[in-house]
Amino acid sequence: MPHSHSVPPHPASGQLPYPDADLLYLQDLLSPAEYDKLLTARAFFQSEVRPLAIDYWNRAEFPFELLPKIAAQRIGGAASMSHLLGGLIHMEFARADTSVSTFYGVHHELFRAAIDQLGSTDQQRDLLPALDSLESIGAFALTEPEHGSDISRGMTTSARREGDEWVLNGVKRWIGNGTFADYILIWARDEADQQIKGFIVESSRRGFTAEPILNKASVRIIQNANITLDNVRIPAGNWLPGTRTFRDTNALLLDSRVWVSWQAVGQQFAALDVARRYAADRQQFGRPIDSFQLIQDQLARMLGNATLSVSLMVQLARLQETGRLSMDQAALAKSSITDRMRETVALGRNILGGNGISTDFEMAKIFADAEAIYSYEGSHQINTLLVGRAITGVSAFE
Ligand SMILES: Cc1cc2nc3c(=O)[nH]c(=O)nc-3n(C[C@H](O)[C@H](O)[C@H](O)COP(=O)(O)OP(=O)(O)OC[C@H]3O[C@@H](n4cnc5c(N)ncnc54)[C@H](O)[C@@H]3O)c2cc1C
């Protein structure tokens, strides 16, 4: 049933028109109960996450005090939630802050999802409750210092079976949550059959070390780590039985690419939110700058990009519902939406003038965080090459 729509009053009253910037009324695609859930999530992200994020981002620290509050939201926890609602909630999370949304995505969409989809019943019974309450935190370690885009081909981290144990050796890079996670899902090549498999490694294991990656200019709240595994011994039961070859990660990586594409939409609405508020308040030449045609042109381009992006994601959610989504569509979304995102955040940064490069004004954080989204979960080029393969039938990178 459609929700009632009325275009809110002019900014002179303090409130901007279309406060959520949903000009297409995409909210109509949700049931009233789902829309209520979206509004509850948005209010939580905007009131609890967003205000903390600027200072934590500047200090490159993680807001641990948010964990119980995030857990109570049960984001993505309900199996009955539609893909569209789940996606829009991820979008709203990134709209408030991309680092905290990435923390949760790595924990929930990668580590928890791996246990849920590929783990044994014992692993699920032992790990899932504390993962859901965020009393235990997970990380997902695929990338290595010498292998990023070509990790499935070049992985050097090794796993050797010795009796009732596995012995892991290697180095991982960029691992989100890696400095404080309780469990790290390590992807390693089995020396016996040369296949890539997943192993749950407790961070307390002897031979495991995690060094923080310092001085990042993007997603500074996320605690990324370089991880070293020096003859780390784990019980045989720590191998994820659903991971016999790298291909077994396909469904997992498909879902996480969709999640990151929703992030790239949220990033654009975040830029739009900050830019149009600023443009309504900032006076030059004796009037608010949002009354200038060139500022309106930039705001219209930002909204156009964000709206095109969210519209594409709505169709992806439909394909997920009917089980027809493949990596072709997920790569198309990641590739094309992150292109739009880069333009959108650059326009937003410009609208704030000099204040657009000060991290005290939020926009510089949004601008910088877009760069991480552009490069992770398959870089822009790799996703573009996947689309190229889909439409030509020819792989340019394998
Ligand atoms: C903030 C952040 C968080 C991350 N979190 C995690 C995490 O939790 N776990 C994890 O495992 N990894 C994580 N990563 C790693 C991420 O997945 C990699 O950065 C990504 O896969 C790219 O790999 P790379 O950085 O080694 O770049 P490279 O693969 O070295 O690529 C360098 C450049 O070359 C381009 N390129 C590569 N191959 C080709 C080609 N065939 N044709 C054209 N261009 C090409 C790329 O697009 C890129 O522009 C994270 C990264 C960042 C920045």
Side-chain angles (χ1 to χ4, degrees), residues 102 106 110 140-145 147-150 173-176 216 218-219 222 224 372 375-382 385 396-397:
T102 301
V106 169
L110 287 170
F140 188 90
L142 185 62
T143 307
E144 299 181 353
H147 295 286
S149 302
D150 69 352
R173 178 155 171 80
W174 281 119
I175 308 313
K216 299 202 314 271
S218 178
V219 288
I222 278 282
N224 291 96
S375 286
Y376 64 44
E377 203 54 52
S379 71
H380 178 73
Q381 285 72 28
I382 293 299
L385 292 174
F397 65 101

Side-chain angles (χ1 to χ4, degrees), residues 11-320:
S13 70
Q15 195 183 27
L16 294 167
Y18 296 100
D20 56 5
D22 180 13
L23 262 69
L24 297 187
Y25 302 126
L26 293 175
Q27 65 189 46
D28 287 1
L29 301 173
L30 301 174
S31 69
E34 286 180 318
Y35 186 52
D36 277 351
K37 283 188 186 148
L38 181 66
L39 291 184
T40 303
R42 179 188 295 158
F44 167 74
F45 297 138
Q46 290 290 324
S47 64
E48 302 283 345
V49 177
R50 187 175 168 196
L52 281 187
I54 295 179
D55 284 345
Y56 274 93
W57 195 96
N58 281 334
R59 297 198 305 272
E61 291 172 5
F62 186 82
F64 288 100
E65 71 261 38
L66 276 179
L67 291 183
K69 293 179 183 175
I70 295 174
Q73 295 293 313
R74 295 195 53 73
I75 302 155
S80 56
M81 190 180 281
S82 69
H83 287 284
L84 179 60
L85 177 60
L88 288 169
I89 289 176
H90 280 306
M91 178 190 92
E92 292 293 341
F93 206 159
R95 189 176 192 166
D97 181 67
T98 292
S99 298
V100 185
S101 126
T102 301
F103 148 76
Y104 191 76
V106 169
H107 169 80
H108 194 273
E109 299 299 313
L110 287 170
F111 185 81
R112 186 204 181 279
I115 305 298
D116 190 37
Q117 294 171 24
L118 305 167
S120 65
T121 47
D122 282 356
Q123 290 165 346
Q124 291 163 354
R125 185 200 58 225
D126 293 346
L127 298 182
L128 291 182
L131 291 171
D132 285 340
S133 62
L134 295 181
E135 286 159 303
S136 294
I137 302 297
F140 188 90
L142 185 62
T143 307
E144 299 181 353
E146 302 305 326
H147 295 286
S149 302
D150 69 352
I151 188 63
S152 62
R153 177 187 303 193
M155 181 175 292
T156 59
T157 299
S158 64
R160 188 175 66 253
R161 183 72 188 259
E162 284 186 7
D164 286 343
E165 292 181 323
W166 288 94
V167 184
L168 304 187
N169 279 287
V171 185
K172 296 290 182 182
R173 178 155 171 80
W174 281 119
I175 308 313
N177 311 343
T179 58
F180 60 81
D182 302 282
Y183 303 101
I184 296 86
L185 183 53
I186 299 282
W187 296 92
R189 199 178 288 285
D190 183 351
E191 289 180 7
D193 63 7
Q194 295 301 308
Q195 296 299 324
I196 292 174
K197 298 175 182 169
F199 301 88
I200 302 165
V201 174
E202 296 86 353
S203 56
S204 54
R205 293 273 169 200
R206 185 194 297 265
F208 175 96
T209 45
E211 293 291 328
I213 297 178
L214 304 174
N215 306 327
K216 299 202 314 271
S218 178
V219 288
R220 284 169 58 78
I221 290 173
I222 278 282
Q223 304 296 309
N224 291 96
N226 289 324
I227 286 177
T228 304
L229 303 144
D230 181 10
N231 282 313
V232 174
R233 291 183 171 271
I234 52 171
N238 281 26
W239 168 57
L240 244 62
T243 64
R244 293 181 180 279
T245 75
F246 193 67
R247 245 174 264 121
D248 295 327
T249 62
N250 277 354
L252 201 62
L253 296 181
L254 176 63
D255 287 347
S256 61
R257 197 152 296 183
V258 173
W259 154 61
V260 169
S261 301
W262 279 111
Q263 278 195 311
V265 182
Q267 195 70 6
Q268 297 184 68
F269 281 108
L272 183 66
D273 291 342
V274 173
R276 69 181 180 135
R277 175 83 270 159
Y278 188 89
D281 294 342
R282 176 75 173 169
Q283 304 253 340
Q284 289 295 294
F285 298 94
R287 38 193 250 234
I289 63 169
D290 72 355
S291 64
F292 299 134
Q293 289 181 356
L294 290 179
I295 294 286
Q296 292 195 2
D297 171 59
Q298 292 172 75
L299 288 169
R301 280 160 66 194
M302 293 172 73
L303 178 62
N305 283 343
T307 305
L308 286 170
S309 301
V310 73
S311 307
L312 175 52
M313 292 310 294
V314 167
Q315 176 62 5
L316 249 67
R318 282 203 194 107
L319 294 177
Q320 279 178 302

